[in-house]
Amino acid sequence: MSEIRYENFFPIEGGTFVNAGDVSSRIKSILKNLGIGSEVVRRAAIIAYESEINIVSYALRGNIRLSVTPDAVCIEAKDEGPGIPDIELAMQEGFSTATPMVREMGFGAGMGLSNIKKFSDSLEITSEVGQGTHVKTRINMAEAG
Amino acid sequence: MTLAEIRDILDAEVLVGSDELGKEVKTAFSADLMSDVLAFAKPGSLLLTGLTNPQVVRTSDILDIAAIILVRGKVPPAETVRLAQELKIPILRTRYILFETSGRLHEKGIVGCIEKVGGDRVDVGNKI
């Protein structure tokens, strides 16, 4: 277990795109200011952004926890929402339950979770139907390019 | 190639970033699906798109996109322009369709930020 260099929680309102992406932009600049390598910052920002889009698209509310240790950047997204009945199915690229509003924004093509997987070194999803979803990701510093 | 040259090639109108026309760009990515942009676009590239909502600007900010080219004569809503001004991301608007926009830029030397999925293009020295 390595010590936490930085930790913060960012609340996200569900159901509206008005501020969507704001938290991710902040996370990106926080990581940049901490002197994290640009490739790790980029991957973390993409994961945070897709997570944020998921919360505004599907949940009532949620939050993103950012934590940084000497070894890794962790992005954790927790929401109160409908949950995911079949995580394996939801992980399949192209599977989506998005509304037209989400699609109009350029999302909802069933790529969110697969993008989160693509840009993380480890991914753990737990979900309870009718309660919410918890997505934990980790990006290793060693992978910095 | 500079944004000023790109503006001339595309007969484009500069909506945001008229003071950044000296910015150099070598690569581009074209898509209307922002998840695809997140999956494949590289820092320092142009984003060619027909989508005009603020998420186009957010996506560009997350990825360090050099400039957004709105194709098919699309006029962005005011909040998109405002966000681009705030985040300092240039927006150019052209009446050419996506195919023509991509083709005209490619002909003059702008290349895709990746050539095909699964194969990264050899580094062309993009600067963020």
Side-chain angles (χ1 to χ4, degrees), chain A:
Chain A
M1 284 289 122
S2 44
E3 91 228 51
I4 288 182
R5 266 183 73 196
Y6 180 92
E7 185 182 27
N8 211 342
F9 284 88
F10 304 89
I12 292 160
E13 191 186 344
T16 169
F17 270 84
V18 172
N19 294 314
D22 189 42
V23 163
S24 308
S25 290
R26 279 162 63 197
I27 286 176
K28 186 183 166 204
S29 63
I30 288 167
L31 292 174
K32 240 186 197 169
N33 290 338
L34 287 172
I36 311 286
S38 62
E39 190 55 27
V40 171
V41 172
R42 176 183 158 73
R43 290 165 62 198
I46 293 172
I47 290 168
Y49 188 47
E50 286 283 15
S51 304
E52 206 178 337
I53 294 294
N54 278 344
I55 293 171
V56 302
S57 300
Y58 302 108
L60 298 170
R61 65 188 69 83
N63 66 68
I64 290 181
R65 174 179 177 262
L66 166 68
S67 61
V68 181
T69 66
D71 308 328
V73 173
C74 297
I75 309 269
E76 242 179 275
K78 226 177 190 176
D79 71 50
E80 291 168 43
I84 304 172
D86 185 339
I87 292 171
E88 205 181 316
L89 180 63
M91 286 299 299
Q92 277 177 29
E93 207 173 300
F95 176 82
S96 177
T97 57
T99 60
M101 173 187 84
V102 177
R103 292 177 199 269
E104 276 167 25
M105 292 293 157
F107 294 94
M111 290 183 63
L113 288 176
S114 45
N115 268 353
I116 290 171
K117 189 176 178 192
K118 175 178 172 175
F119 290 105
S120 61
D121 290 309
S122 78
L123 165 66
E124 200 183 299
I125 305 176
T126 48
S127 187
E128 216 170 306
V129 173
Q131 300 286 315
T133 300
H134 189 176
V135 180
K136 283 172 81 167
T137 63
R138 182 189 156 99
I139 305 155
N140 296 328
M141 296 290 189
E143 302 295 319

Side-chain angles (χ1 to χ4, degrees), chain A residues 17 19-22 24-25 28 32 42 45-46 49-50 53 104-109 111-112 115 118-119, chain B residues 32-36 38-43 51 53-56 58-64 86-87 128:
Chain A
F17 270 84
N19 294 314
D22 189 42
S24 308
S25 290
K28 186 183 166 204
K32 240 186 197 169
R42 176 183 158 73
I46 293 172
Y49 188 47
E50 286 283 15
I53 294 294
E104 276 167 25
M105 292 293 157
F107 294 94
M111 290 183 63
N115 268 353
K118 175 178 172 175
F119 290 105
Chain B
D32 285 352
L33 183 61
M34 290 304 112
S35 283
D36 268 341
L38 288 167
F40 303 118
K42 300 289 183 209
L51 211 61
N53 68 65
Q55 298 312 315
V56 174
R58 277 293 174 202
T59 303
S60 300
D61 181 51
I62 294 295
L63 297 174
D64 293 313
E86 188 190 316
L87 298 172
I128 301 171

